[in-house]
Every structure is written in C-alpha cells, then in structure tokens.
Amino acid sequence: MTSYFLFWPTILEKDQQQLKLSDRTIIFKQAYPIFDSEAEAISTIGAEKLFMTGGIDFSDVSRETII
C-alpha cells in the first residue's frame, strides 16, 4: 500500500458523520490504506463506486490488490 484515501467513516451512521457547532461544522472522515491501482480506480470510476461495489475489504491492511 502506498497511500491513504479519506472517505466516509464506516463506523458512523450518515447522520453521525458531522457535528454542527455554533460557529462551524466538523465533518468526520476515515483514512483507508490503498494501493496505486486503487487510487487510479478512484480517479476513473469514483470513490463511491469503488468503496460500495468493489468488494474490497479496506479494513484488511494485509490484503492483496484486486485491481
């Protein structure tokens, strides 16, 4: 793995992914370790498609790249 990608957190529900304060909004993201080929796929097909339908277990840092 060569880099990280910041995307929606898997441990929070959609309504928990941001915190509105009186003077700002904090948006929570999760860092996912990715391979170069996965970064290229994100550029080509988009992060949502890769993460939601790609069948990749991004929590497994010892996984082999499948792309």
Side-chain angles (χ1 to χ4, degrees):
M1 295 186 189
T2 55
S3 54
Y4 289 92
F5 184 72
L6 298 178
F7 198 57
W8 302 329
T10 57
I11 59 173
L12 298 174
E13 296 297 325
K14 189 167 185 110
D15 63 337
Q16 298 172 322
Q17 293 178 8
Q18 59 179 314
L19 176 63
K20 293 187 185 250
L21 302 175
S22 61
D23 62 337
R24 70 191 87 190
T25 300
I26 299 170
I27 300 172
F28 298 102
K29 298 293 180 187
Q30 184 171 340
Y32 298 89
I34 60 172
F35 292 99
D36 285 337
S37 58
E38 294 164 349
E40 291 174 25
I42 289 169
S43 296
T44 304
I45 65 172
E48 187 169 0
K49 188 167 184 178
L50 179 67
F51 275 72
M52 301 305 173
T53 61
I56 301 169
D57 182 4
F58 287 96
S59 63
D60 181 5
V61 295
S62 63
R63 66 182 159 73
E64 296 291 324
T65 186
I66 60 169
I67 298 174

